[in-house]
Amino acid sequence: MRSSELAALAGVTIRTVRHYLQIGLLEEPERSVNGYRDYDVRHLVRLLRIGRLTELGLPLAELPAVLDDPQVAEEVLDELDRQAVAEIERLTSRRAAIARLRHQGAMPDLPPEMADYGRTIKAVADMAPDVARHEYEQLLLISHLIGENETAALAGAMAEQALFTPATADLVRRFGELGPDTPQETVERLADDMVTRYLPLLENWPDVEFGADVSSMLAAYGERNLNDQQHRVNQLFVERVMSRLASGDARAHDEHAHPPEL
């Protein structure tokens, strides 16, 4: 039979048949008197076997050993099963992350561990889109720099201190409304409210280290995105938190616990 007939019977393309010939998975057939390749049923069976094995996930490079040595089949099936289990676990984890992000109304690329913060960002987005974007992108940076496990630990601590709530969203909104005409009294009040809100997290800081590289990168990012009044609030917040910690009114978890900036 001609290559087109063989391909049609096997459910593959002519290009696939030629590729299998080139890499040695198919034996070169005899040629007819007019020079065309003349395939027979053995080539069809070989193609069907190749199709079955590739459907199971076996790479082409490993096919010759299985096709030509039945003793290898059990080992190959065991390995394919292990790979399938790992893939199922990966896809199950991905579906769980998607479901969590969807439930919280979070952006698709928000770290799943911080999905609960999605509602806070969404609540702020309509009123203060710039600061909502800043919060969101800052979370991406933090998650990438400290790693998945540490991000999960930080998210857990934030949840324990009820930071994924409308009260936090209101603080972020107020922060986003700061501008050159904001009265000093408003700036001072917001800094005080931020201390009240975030100090319990610092008192119960999880086992997460914000190294110098993380802090410097977040500072550089904030420098480009925040206005003068927002920088002033963050400065007052840090000063007042450190004063509280130093005076003994609150305690730091360890030397790596740094006050977060909005």
Side-chain angles (χ1 to χ4, degrees), residues 82-92:
R82 284 192 291 270
Q83 293 176 9
V85 169
E87 180 70 4
I88 289 170
E89 291 176 352
R90 186 180 66 82
L91 292 175
T92 300

Side-chain angles (χ1 to χ4, degrees), residues 1 6 9 38-48:
M1 68 184 84
L6 175 66
L9 286 171
D38 188 13
Y39 297 94
D40 59 34
V41 70
R42 292 174 302 165
H43 294 94
L44 175 59
V45 171
R46 183 86 167 182
L47 273 178
L48 294 176

Side-chain angles (χ1 to χ4, degrees), residues 165-184:
T165 62
T168 300
D170 183 62
L171 276 182
V172 177
R173 175 191 59 77
R174 290 165 58 192
F175 186 83
E177 292 173 348
L178 295 173
D181 298 327
T182 302
Q184 182 62 25

